[in-house]
Amino acid sequence: MRITIDTDRCIGAGQCALTAPGVFTQDDDGFSALLPGREDGAGDPLVREAARACPVQAISVTDD
């Protein structure tokens, strides 16, 4: 699995970090970021739900 965050689109709503806190966080400016070592989702079943929860669809999840 590959997770991509469109940082130009992200508005910092934080839904990803609330939905999958083991994978997503917010940077110092409040925008979405991946936790170090979690770039592949780390098998978290909530990653796809976090992408769907994003109000501006800034997160994409693709299978390798």
Side-chain angles (χ1 to χ4, degrees), residues 11-64:
I11 61 170
Q15 293 303 307
C16 56
L18 290 171
T19 305
V23 176
F24 296 96
T25 188
Q26 289 180 284
D27 65 16
D28 293 338
D29 295 321
F31 296 106
S32 181
L34 293 168
L35 289 168
R38 303 297 181 156
E39 294 82 4
D40 64 354
D44 191 321
L46 294 175
V47 169
R48 292 185 193 281
E49 183 58 35
R52 283 190 289 274
C54 180
V56 294
Q57 290 81 45
I59 301 168
S60 61
V61 180
T62 55
D63 293 316
D64 288 341

